[in-house]
Amino acid sequence: TIEAVTADKNSRYPQQRLILVMNDITTLKQLERMRKEFVANVSHELKTPITSIKGFVETLLDGAIDDRENAFRFLTIVQNQTTRLGNIIDDLLTLSRLEQNDEESGISMEKIPLCHPVNEAISICQGRADEKSIDIHVECDRELEILGNGHLIEQAVVNLVDNAVKYCPEGSVVLVRCEREEDRRILLVVQDNGPGIPEADQERIFERFYRVEKARSRDMGGTGLGLAIVKHIMLLHGGTVALESSRGEGASFLLRFPALPS
Ligand code: ADP
């Protein structure tokens, strides 16, 4: 803001003065841009399945309902799109609960063996892995303990293993490995030999709704929110999430938890 102030000629200070007030609004502008982008993304992501549901219901009402085979096919699409809407809303609610991060959010932390939520997560993903004959190989010592929320860690591991299973070829192996690092932090790695993630996309991959190949990823049933949730869960645990990958050479997601005080 630049403001010119001319003092009264009769005053004791007849000279002209110039007041220069400068506010850095870069952060505010960035936040506003991110908010607008987020609202636009949410609207778009919700609109896609709604448009599809509306279209198929109209076709059914226009007469397709009398053709049993087509009616069944269209209703299955309506059912899938409804599930998709539910998943997006569940993920959005999870994210908002994670961001709230106060006592009301009901997120409690306790000392737990990391293998507990890891094993729970693997059993949740097992069915989908079996469908693609994928072997999930787990190496996680009972002695590795963290301060954390079991349900949230389980969700983070489910999101990563689910992605690995989703994107890697049939018959491959997904490796889930935990270890104590030299600085005593606990490292959990989910590694696959799928298509990997191009370097250009790696910086933005943890943003909400960011996908490498939008259409393909959406067709695979994802919400585009899985990695954003993983990132927030790790932030809540005072930890980090990193990605090591190059195109065609698989992806490794690395979760690091702070060391427990000895
Ligand atoms: P989605 O629900 O679409 O899987 P995520 O936030 O979990 O959303 O992942 C964001 C995008 O990152 C995915 O759409 C996909 O393009 C890419 N991605 C995530 N995990 C992997 C992986 N293991 N291998 C290849 N690409 C992946």
Side-chain angles (χ1 to χ4, degrees):
T1 313
I2 302 175
E3 209 175 301
V5 176
T6 315
D8 191 323
K9 282 210 173 64
N10 301 324
S11 82
R12 279 203 284 160
Y13 306 103
Q15 324 89 313
Q16 279 201 334
R17 287 182 296 155
L18 186 69
I19 300 174
L20 192 64
V21 183
M22 295 180 90
N23 289 324
D24 184 358
I25 56 165
T26 322
T27 321
L28 274 178
K29 282 243 178 218
Q30 260 171 3
L31 281 174
E32 181 57 14
R33 184 182 52 78
M34 279 164 69
R35 193 191 62 79
K36 279 190 181 151
E37 245 176 51
F38 179 62
V39 173
N41 279 337
V42 172
S43 314
H44 177 74
E45 295 292 332
L46 295 177
K47 241 179 155 169
T48 313
I50 288 173
T51 308
S52 159
I53 291 170
K54 194 162 173 272
F56 283 106
V57 169
E58 276 169 8
T59 315
L60 283 164
L61 290 175
D62 280 349
I65 198 151
D66 296 327
D67 173 353
R68 214 181 137 71
E69 201 177 310
N70 266 335
F72 185 80
R73 200 160 59 83
F74 293 166
L75 282 170
T76 309
I77 297 175
V78 169
Q79 187 185 38
N80 290 341
Q81 295 296 339
T82 317
T83 308
R84 183 173 160 64
L85 274 178
N87 290 344
I88 296 175
I89 290 165
D90 281 349
D91 279 357
L92 283 171
L93 287 174
T94 304
L95 267 175
S96 107
R97 189 171 143 238
L98 289 170
E99 276 176 342
Q100 209 179 321
N101 185 20
D102 58 17
E103 278 165 19
E104 277 169 43
S105 66
I107 296 171
S108 59
M109 301 278 185
E110 56 187 346
K111 198 166 116 178
I112 48 167
L114 184 55
C115 65
H116 285 179
V118 166
N119 290 334
E120 283 292 325
I122 306 300
S123 58
I124 291 171
C125 301
Q126 196 65 57
R128 288 184 283 268
D130 289 345
E131 280 170 22
K132 285 179 79 178
S133 309
I134 288 172
D135 179 23
I136 307 177
H137 186 81
V138 189
E139 292 170 19
C140 189
D141 198 300
R142 264 198 70 84
E143 282 171 14
L144 299 174
E145 290 186 318
I146 57 158
L147 185 66
N149 178 291
H151 295 295
L152 292 181
I153 303 298
E154 181 188 308
Q155 173 152 23
V157 179
V158 165
N159 288 3
L160 294 180
V161 174
D162 241 4
N163 276 348
V165 168
K166 201 156 59 175
Y167 296 108
C168 74
E170 293 211 2
S172 45
V173 177
V174 171
L175 177 64
V176 181
R177 179 170 54 82
C178 308
E179 65 180 48
R180 194 186 306 279
E181 294 191 296
E182 268 176 28
D183 60 6
R184 300 193 62 255
R185 283 190 297 174
I186 307 288
L187 171 69
L188 186 159
V189 185
V190 177
Q191 186 181 351
D192 67 60
N193 63 347
I197 294 165
E199 227 168 84
D201 296 297
Q202 290 185 12
E203 205 180 315
R204 302 195 59 193
I205 204 78
F206 294 97
E207 287 177 22
R208 293 152 202 220
F209 298 120
Y210 190 85
R211 298 175 174 102
V212 176
E213 287 172 59
K214 268 197 183 309
R216 198 176 62 100
S217 306
R218 211 179 274 132
D219 288 347
M220 295 191 111
T223 62
L225 293 167
L227 290 179
I229 290 178
V230 173
K231 184 178 132 187
H232 274 83
I233 291 176
M234 290 314 290
L235 279 174
L236 210 68
H237 285 79
T240 59
V241 53
L243 164 64
E244 285 175 6
S245 177
S246 48
R247 199 191 268 282
E249 300 202 356
S252 293
F253 285 89
L254 294 82
L255 306 186
R256 287 194 168 87
F257 297 90
L260 280 180
S262 45

